[in-house]
Amino acid sequence: MESFFRFFPELVNGLGLTLSLFVLTLVCSIPLGFLCSQAGLSKNKVGRGVYLAYVTIMRGTPLILQVCFLYFGINLLLTTLGVPADVFRLDRFVGAFIAFVLNYTAYFSEIFRGGIQSINRGQYEAASVLGLSKSLTMRKIVIPQVFKIVMPSIGNEVINLVKDTALVSLIAIEDLMMLAWSATNREASVMPLIVAMVFYLAINAVVTLVLRKIEKRMSYYRI
Amino acid sequence: MSILEVKKLNKSFGSTHILKDIDLSLEKGDTMAIIGPSGSGKSTLLRCINCLERAEKGTIILNGITIAEEKENGMEYLKDDELRMARLHLGMVFQNFNLFPHLTVLENLTLAPMNVDKKSQTEAEKTARELLAKVGLSDKSDSYPCELSGGQSQRVAIARALAMDPDILCFDEPTSALDPELTGEVLQVIKELAAEHMTMLIVTHEMGFAKEVASQVVFMDDGRITGRGTPEELLVNPKEERIRAFLNKLLSV
């Protein structure tokens, strides 16, 4: 019991860090994903090529590798360029955050691309004969429908993201996973791991509940 | 002066020549039915007039505005925004309705008037309710399209097109996607519009309806207009062998 009061506050701190990485990544990568999907759908060959390369790399390599590569890679580059370590080095958390945003943006943009492509051509034609401009068609007709279509897939990624945040413990960021693991070693007990497990489950229970609510709110119509 | 004039219109998809030198003119108050075998280019003609497809050669003059004309280096259309405004003279009703599923019936009708014509919500809704009453769907204004039958959907689609107050209303096989028992209610609405002298261009397979409602009939075959005249001339006593064969085929089913 004594040990519980030692590690529990640590884990709560770790939970805070895990949650902030989760929320920040989500808030940035969903809008960015939508913007990137436009490049993937554009008529511009260069735009499409860059998009394809980006998505292929981000989805084709492990997230943990991307986190390490970005964090160590950028700092190594700074060293090579002769920037003194006390002037500027990329913070661990910021490095992980950038890698997560880059990675999740790729997944979200593919989801949005699929969603946008699944909108019936007739919807665009109906909008165009009614005189709606391209941007109005996007705002009033396409996006609301795409949002409903992609919601289940987005939900999957959101739940994955909660668990993926645990990867940052590998670059010594003191997130929930990292602190639970070190407490387990220190206290020679699995209790910290069990508590961490409960925390992750609790986050995803809330996430699932919110996703259900959103899906329910959009169930008033069928496409 | 004609409200719509199409001259020497040509359209190909790849190497397939779909429309060949189509000439067409429509007077205000006319109801023109375009008939002909499938694959003859009827729908493509309508879609070219609407600029949903771009033709390669020819001229389209709508309400005195040349929206597309042939220049030395091919067909030249109006600029995007000008074209968008000029096209508002044309309403369009699709075979598959293409209602916006995420909006209520009323919102389907008010979206364009409010966002394109910049009407106030009160004004747009007033017009929308009048139009819904006209097509007999006053009680459906708060329904979503998924709650409507095919016939009701198509009537909403007609009301939506009318909400933009077009000079010409185009129909692309408006009853082809409907169960036979639902076609009547849609045809009834179109008949009422014809009685009010709404200018209409209707691609249809309903010969009885074309006979009854059209003031002019155009017969298309293999990308050309091969016959035109009043319903009596074309549908009752056709002189052309091809039209007779086409009509007999329909009747023998």
Side-chain angles (χ1 to χ4, degrees):
Chain A
M1 214 50 212
E2 205 181 306
S3 100
F4 182 83
F5 289 113
R6 248 194 328 268
F7 73 73
F8 191 78
E10 288 175 24
L11 294 200
V12 172
N13 276 338
L15 176 67
L17 198 136
T18 292
L19 279 176
S20 34
L21 180 61
F22 166 72
V23 171
L24 283 173
T25 305
L26 206 57
V27 166
C28 295
S29 57
I30 289 184
L32 280 175
F34 185 80
L35 285 180
C36 281
S37 68
Q38 298 303 303
L41 292 165
S42 81
K43 288 184 184 127
N44 185 324
K45 267 192 179 160
V46 180
R48 275 209 320 270
V50 171
Y51 173 83
L52 187 69
Y54 164 65
V55 168
T56 308
I57 293 171
M58 287 299 151
R59 298 202 308 175
T61 59
L63 175 54
I64 181 68
L65 191 153
Q66 293 163 17
V67 172
C68 295
F69 183 83
L70 213 106
Y71 171 61
F72 291 114
I74 288 185
N75 283 336
L76 199 64
L77 185 72
L78 290 172
T79 308
T80 322
L81 290 176
V83 180
D86 53 347
V87 174
F88 182 75
R89 280 295 176 272
L90 194 62
D91 180 73
R92 284 201 173 87
F93 183 82
V94 176
F97 162 71
I98 295 173
F100 267 71
V101 169
L102 286 175
N103 182 278
Y104 271 82
T105 296
Y107 280 96
F108 286 134
S109 62
E110 275 296 277
I111 291 172
F112 282 121
R113 189 180 63 82
I116 292 171
Q117 279 180 332
S118 74
I119 299 291
N120 192 315
R121 199 174 58 143
Q123 293 287 305
Y124 292 98
E125 293 186 346
S128 112
V129 295
L130 287 169
L132 269 67
S133 64
K134 281 194 178 120
S135 71
L136 264 175
T137 306
M138 205 62 183
R139 276 210 323 271
K140 300 279 183 181
I141 309 296
V142 179
I143 293 178
Q145 293 184 53
V146 165
F147 198 58
K148 179 185 165 97
I149 294 170
V150 300
M151 220 26 230
S153 317
I154 297 265
N156 261 333
E157 291 303 326
V158 174
I159 286 170
N160 270 332
L161 174 59
V162 172
K163 295 176 293 176
D164 275 354
T165 57
L167 292 173
V168 300
S169 56
L170 257 103
I171 56 166
I173 291 178
E174 299 193 323
D175 76 322
L176 180 55
M177 180 65 213
M178 166 86 176
L179 292 174
W181 180 231
S182 63
T184 288
N185 282 316
R186 193 181 63 224
E187 312 284 343
S189 147
V190 291
M191 266 315 279
L193 286 181
I194 292 174
V195 172
M197 206 187 281
V198 171
F199 280 172
Y200 281 117
L201 270 175
I203 303 175
N204 268 334
V206 174
V207 166
T208 309
L209 220 68
V210 172
L211 290 171
R212 285 256 172 85
K213 271 252 162 66
I214 298 176
E215 280 189 44
K216 204 163 178 193
R217 275 184 81 170
M218 291 191 301
S219 65
Y220 63 86
Y221 74 91
R222 283 197 316 270
I223 288 173
Chain B
M1 193 187 67
S2 306
I3 195 162
L4 171 73
E5 224 170 313
V6 174
K7 290 178 205 154
K8 298 258 172 268
L9 198 71
N10 281 272
K11 165 79 185 167
S12 305
F13 287 115
S15 58
T16 323
H17 203 169
I18 306 282
L19 297 179
K20 301 163 185 165
D21 288 335
I22 299 284
D23 286 308
L24 195 81
S25 82
L26 199 63
E27 304 295 321
K28 204 166 169 45
D30 269 355
T31 298
M32 181 183 281
I34 305 175
I35 61 167
S38 15
S40 59
K42 310 181 294 287
S43 290
T44 307
L45 172 59
L46 207 58
R47 293 171 60 82
C48 281
I49 292 172
N50 251 312
C51 304
L52 286 173
E53 306 282 354
R54 298 241 163 162
E56 283 110 33
K57 275 200 266 179
T59 306
I60 304 171
I61 303 168
L62 182 61
N63 240 357
I65 305 166
T66 305
I67 57 174
E69 68 182 322
E70 203 170 331
K71 291 275 172 71
E72 279 166 28
N73 47 355
M75 193 105 162
E76 204 172 287
Y77 279 81
L78 286 178
K79 300 267 179 312
D80 277 358
D81 280 338
E82 289 170 329
L83 186 64
R84 205 156 53 78
M85 294 332 278
R87 278 169 70 190
L88 288 180
H89 295 291
L90 283 170
M92 176 79 173
V93 175
F94 298 90
Q95 185 176 344
N96 296 314
F97 334 130
N98 293 337
L99 294 177
F100 303 127
H102 59 300
L103 302 176
T104 64
V105 165
L106 195 69
E107 288 165 344
N108 263 279
L109 266 65
T110 56
L111 178 76
M114 281 168 63
N115 289 286
V116 180
D117 280 353
K118 304 285 177 211
K119 282 188 182 163
S120 71
Q121 184 169 357
T122 335
E123 202 185 343
E125 284 187 0
K126 186 171 165 279
T127 317
R129 287 186 198 284
E130 286 166 9
L131 288 168
L132 284 177
K134 188 173 182 159
V135 298
L137 291 171
S138 291
D139 54 330
K140 295 290 182 192
S141 60
D142 294 325
S143 303
Y144 284 91
C146 62
E147 298 165 307
L148 305 176
S149 72
Q152 291 169 336
S153 295
Q154 195 59 299
R155 285 188 280 157
V156 171
I158 294 172
R160 180 176 69 176
L162 289 172
M164 289 304 278
D165 197 20
D167 297 315
I168 306 175
L169 196 48
C170 303
F171 295 82
D172 187 6
E173 302 191 22
T175 57
S176 295
L178 300 178
D179 291 334
E181 74 264 31
L182 298 177
T183 58
E185 63 188 63
V186 171
L187 297 181
Q188 189 54 40
V189 170
I190 304 176
K191 273 182 213 165
E192 281 159 24
L193 290 172
E196 293 166 18
H197 300 289
M198 176 85 208
T199 314
M200 293 188 283
L201 199 54
I202 310 172
V203 170
T204 185
H205 289 295
E206 303 272 344
M207 290 309 138
F209 167 70
K211 214 180 287 181
E212 189 180 345
V213 82
S215 55
Q216 278 191 67
V217 181
V218 159
F219 181 80
M220 276 186 78
D221 187 22
D222 191 29
R224 289 179 205 283
I225 292 179
T226 56
R228 54 180 102 209
T230 62
E232 287 76 28
E233 290 165 348
L234 215 73
L235 297 174
V236 185
N237 296 306
K239 288 194 279 289
E240 291 89 347
E241 181 52 41
R242 185 74 187 87
I243 302 176
R244 249 196 313 243
F246 171 69
L247 292 176
N248 282 336
K249 216 164 157 187
L250 279 182
L251 290 173
S252 66
V253 174

